Each structure stands twice: as structure tokens, then as C-alpha cells.
């Protein structure tokens, strides 16, 4: 197969890249502010010969556990799942439609962030809710960031070996995955990407009774609650900024709110890593990826400080100086600690080759 175009449409941004058969990047572009229109056609005008296209789609629901070639039925099913990922699903559809308009005869493949977590055992994906609710509405833990977790765990196995890996995808959205022998067995996100760790603007786990109290007594409607949890919570709600660089500066200048935001973030991160290690029955490697995971040495150091009981030890110099894929743990420690550059594009291209190769 020749060059693969990767379309990674976020809730407000668009990443485009063209990968050769050896995953070398032939062309790329990052649109910081993308409303679902434009961007794709200009890039395609100058892109090298493209033989297939892969799209990141956040939610695949219960049906899609593998990358699939996009046809009318697939597109309709992706659209039907919009209620489960209202910020992301419409952008993925916009990307599919834009490529269809310019490359109508080139096969397109949907690669789902939920698919990697389809291997979670029933005990890890089941909510303790009434059976009728679970049957009628498909209530279960799906997990997200699967493309990132899949790549990071595989890369970690190449670099450090070991079968039990906890991957930390830390960016605007944050999640952890427990991966055994390349298969997801647990994760921190749930039915939606709102669950789990504290994030940039998302709350992560909150007592559901607190939410019920707000609906009954806080004079908030469902739309107010959703907006607050998605857009005004997380470290933004705690420290006044969703930018970790600004939080570090403010905390250093004496802001107690900024310091607390960082402390809460790291506290919940440590808790999550320990829980994922428990799901694995131990830990061979701990991996940091995503914008914060790759670039914030302070967060990495503070997270690892509380994980010595798992055999995790950091090398301060390695941690401070690391660039790209690199080990940052103490030489000879029981658990490898690594930074792996997020390469969802490689994982998507891999899925495209598999799906198109299997297509009749």
C-alpha cells in the first residue's frame, strides 16, 4: 500500500498527516482552531499520492472493536453515536465528508478510540446498575484514548520489555490504561470521556450523589451541569488556568489555588496508576505520553514520588533531559519508566492497512 492520509479531528483542532509505508511523515499540518469546515481541501491539494485514508473516531459504541472501511452504513452508525461523544463525533464526520468530496474513490477507514478497550474483561467494564438500564441503554465502561494507549504500550514493550504496562495519556484529556501482553484489561475513562482523572477542563470522577444534589438544590439544569463538568472544571476550575505552564508559574509565585490544582491532579494520577497496577497484578513498565506526559518533567517526577512501593524509581537527570522516546527510570529499578511520544497517526495508519487489506 502507498501513502496513507491520517485525519485526526479533535473537538476544536485538526491534525493531518501523510505517512509512507514505513510510517515516515511525508507531509503534515495542524489546524489549532477548526470548526469542521475548510482545512482538508487545501492540504489535499499539495499532498503526495494517497492510496487510503484513516480517521480517528472517538466513539465506536459496542459494535466497532476493530478499524472498519467507511461506507454509508458505517457513517450512519458513527452519527448515531453522537450523543455519547457530542464534542468529537461531529468533527470526525466532517473529516470523512471533506475527504469524500475530494477523494471519492479512495478507501476511508474509521479507527476508534474505544476499540482498544473492547478486550477489557466483563468485570472491568460492568457498572453496578440495574440490569434493565444496562440492557436497554447499553450502559458500560467503554474507555477512550485507545489509539494512544495501543501505540504507547506497544512501543514501551519494544523499548523495555515486560508484559504488564500502565500507560498514562496526559493532555487536555487524561486517562490511564492497564495493558497486559498488548491487550487492555482496565482503564480510567468510562461510558463517556468525562470519567476518571482530573483533566484540563473536565472534572473526572465525581460523586454521583453530589451531581444529584446540584440538580435538586443548586438551581442548575442538565445543560448547566454538563457545561460545568466538561468546560469549567478540572485544573481550570481549581487553579484558574487549563495551561500547566501557567499553573507552574502561578504556583511558583505563591498562588495557593494553582498549587492545589497541581496537587489534586498528581494525587489522582498516583491513585489511578496504583489502581491500574492492581488490575494487572503488578507492574513492569510505566509510560507517560501526550502533551503533559511528554513535556512536563515536574508532573512526572511528582507522580512517581508516591509510587516507590510499586518499584517505580525515577532518574532525575534522565527525567529532566529526556526528549522523544526515552527511559527516565533509575537504571536497574524493578519497573521501567518511559516517555513515549504520542503517535496516534502511526496507530491509525496501521489500522488502515489492516482494514483495507482485509476488505474484499
Amino acid at each position: 500500500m502507498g501513502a496513507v492520509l491520517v485525519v485526526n479531528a479533535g473537538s476544536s483542532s485538526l491534525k493531518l498527516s501523510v505517512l509512507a509505508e514505513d510510517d515516515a511523515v511525508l507531509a503534515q499540518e495542524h489546524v489549532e482552531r477548526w470548526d469542521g469546515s475548510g482545512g482538508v481541501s487545501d492540504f489535499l491539494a499539495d499532498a503526495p499520492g494517497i492510496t487510503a485514508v484513516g480517521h480517528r473516531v472517538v466513539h465506536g459504541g459496542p459494535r466497532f472493536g476493530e478499524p472498519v472501511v467507511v461506507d454509508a452504513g458505517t457513517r450512519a452508525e458513527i452519527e448515531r453515536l453522537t450523543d455519547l461523544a457530542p464534542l468529537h463525533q461531529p468533527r470526525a464526520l466532517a473529516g470523512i465528508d471533506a475527504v469524500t468530496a475530494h477523494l471519492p474513490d479512495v478507501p476511508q477507514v474509521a479507527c476508534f478510540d474505544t476499540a482498544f478497550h473492547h478486550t477489557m474483561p466483563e468485570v472491568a467494564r460492568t457498572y453496578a446498575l440495574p440490569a434493565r438500564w444496562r440492557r436497554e441503554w447499553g450502559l458500560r465502561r467503554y474507555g477512550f484514548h485507545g489509539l494512544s494507549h495501543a501505540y504507547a504500550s506497544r512501543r514501551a514493550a519494544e523499548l523495555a520489555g515486560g508484559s504488564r504496562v500502565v500507560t498514562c495519556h496526559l493532555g487536555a484529556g487524561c486517562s490511564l490504561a492497564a495493558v497486559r501482553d498488548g491487550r487492555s484489561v482496565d482503564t480510567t475513562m468510562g461510558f463517556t470521556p468525562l470519567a476518571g482523572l482530573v483533566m484540563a477542563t473536565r472534572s473526572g470522577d465525581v460523586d454521583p450523589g453530589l451531581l444529584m444534589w446540584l440538580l435538586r438544590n443548586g438551581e442548575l439544569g442538565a445543560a448547566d451541569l454538563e457545561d460545568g463538568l466538561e468546560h469549567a472544571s478540572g485544573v481550570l476550575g481549581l487553579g484558574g488556568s487549563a495551561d500547566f505552564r501557567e499553573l507552574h508559574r502561578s504556583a511558583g509565585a505563591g498562588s495557593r489555588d494553582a498549587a492545589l490544582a497541581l496537587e489534586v491532579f498528581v494525587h489522582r494520577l498516583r491513585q489511578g496508576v496504583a489502581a491500574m497496577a492492581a488490575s494487572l497484578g503488578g507492574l513492569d513498565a510505566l509510560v507517560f505520553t501526550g502533551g503533559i506526559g511528554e513535556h512536563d518533567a515536574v508532573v512526572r517526577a511528582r507522580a512517581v514520588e508516591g509510587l516507590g512501593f510499586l518499584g517505580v524509581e525515577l532518574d532525575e537527570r534522565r527525567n529532566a533531559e529526556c526528549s522523544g522516546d526515552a527511559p527516565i527510570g533509575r537504571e536497574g529499578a524493578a519497573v521501567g519508566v518511559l516517555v513515549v511520544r504520542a503517535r496516534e497517526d502511526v496507530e491509525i495508519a496501521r489500522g488502515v492497512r489492516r482494514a483495507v487489506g482485509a476488505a474484499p
Side-chain angles (χ1 to χ4, degrees):
M1 181 182 293
V4 174
L5 167 66
V6 173
V7 181
N8 186 339
S11 59
S12 62
S13 64
L14 176 67
K15 296 178 183 177
L16 300 166
S17 56
V18 179
L19 273 61
E21 291 187 66
D22 62 355
D23 292 329
V25 177
L26 302 177
Q28 61 183 355
E29 184 172 340
H30 185 189
V31 181
E32 288 284 352
R33 300 293 175 197
W34 188 60
D35 62 2
S37 62
V40 175
S41 58
D42 293 341
F43 181 78
L44 290 178
D46 298 322
I50 294 166
T51 59
V53 182
H55 297 268
R56 176 195 173 216
V57 180
V58 164
H59 216 305
R63 174 181 170 187
F64 296 118
E66 292 286 343
V68 294
V69 175
V70 176
D71 57 19
T74 304
R75 191 200 179 286
E77 183 69 10
I78 292 170
E79 187 169 18
R80 193 183 69 77
L81 293 166
T82 295
D83 284 349
L84 299 182
L87 299 180
H88 296 86
Q89 219 77 346
R91 294 293 190 263
L93 291 166
I96 290 170
D97 293 344
V99 172
T100 300
H102 291 85
L103 299 173
D105 299 321
V106 174
Q108 299 186 67
V109 175
C111 300
F112 301 94
D113 257 331
T114 49
F116 181 61
H117 301 298
H118 271 239
T119 58
M120 286 195 301
E122 188 174 22
V123 68
R125 66 174 185 262
T126 302
Y127 285 120
L129 294 171
R132 184 179 67 83
W133 295 7
R134 289 185 276 113
R135 285 196 306 268
E136 187 168 340
W137 295 305
L139 304 182
R140 51 162 285 184
R141 295 178 65 243
Y142 286 103
F144 299 89
H145 294 139
L147 295 164
S148 178
H149 288 302
Y151 176 81
S153 59
R154 188 173 66 254
R155 181 67 174 138
E158 293 171 355
L159 295 172
S163 63
R164 301 168 301 178
V165 179
V166 171
T167 48
C168 307
H169 178 96
L170 307 178
C174 301
S175 69
L176 309 178
V179 184
R180 181 186 293 116
D181 296 321
R183 295 165 63 86
S184 173
V185 300
D186 208 348
T187 190
T188 53
M189 284 182 168
F191 182 66
T192 74
L194 187 57
L197 303 178
V198 172
M199 301 175 230
T201 66
R202 283 175 263 176
S203 63
D205 286 345
V206 175
D207 177 1
L210 180 155
L211 304 180
M212 295 303 298
W213 186 93
L214 284 172
L215 289 172
R216 285 195 305 265
N217 304 295
E219 299 182 358
L220 297 177
D224 300 316
L225 196 61
E226 182 178 30
D227 183 65
L229 294 170
E230 291 274 7
H231 303 296
S233 297
V235 294
L236 173 64
L238 290 169
S241 176
D243 187 326
F244 273 68
R245 293 164 297 186
E246 180 60 34
L247 288 173
H248 286 304
R249 285 193 291 268
S250 296
S255 168
R256 177 57 191 151
D257 288 344
L260 178 63
L262 293 167
E263 289 166 6
V264 170
F265 180 86
V266 170
H267 174 72
R268 294 279 290 275
L269 175 56
R270 283 196 211 107
Q271 281 186 323
V273 171
M276 293 298 103
S279 292
L280 290 168
L283 186 62
D284 298 316
L286 176 64
V287 186
F288 292 95
T289 191
I292 298 165
E294 294 171 43
H295 302 297
D296 197 324
V298 174
V299 164
R300 293 194 302 259
R302 291 175 65 180
V304 168
E305 278 175 10
L307 297 172
F309 71 99
L310 290 174
V312 180
E313 300 179 60
L314 204 66
D315 182 300
E316 292 184 8
R317 182 187 59 79
R318 280 177 159 183
N319 183 47
E321 298 176 359
C322 84
S323 176
D325 297 354
I328 59 172
R330 183 184 64 81
E331 192 75 37
V335 174
V337 187
L338 304 98
V339 171
V340 170
R341 188 159 63 96
R343 290 299 307 271
E344 291 168 311
D345 57 339
V346 170
E347 195 64 24
I348 291 169
R350 189 169 180 256
V352 168
R353 296 178 191 116
R354 189 164 70 248
V356 172

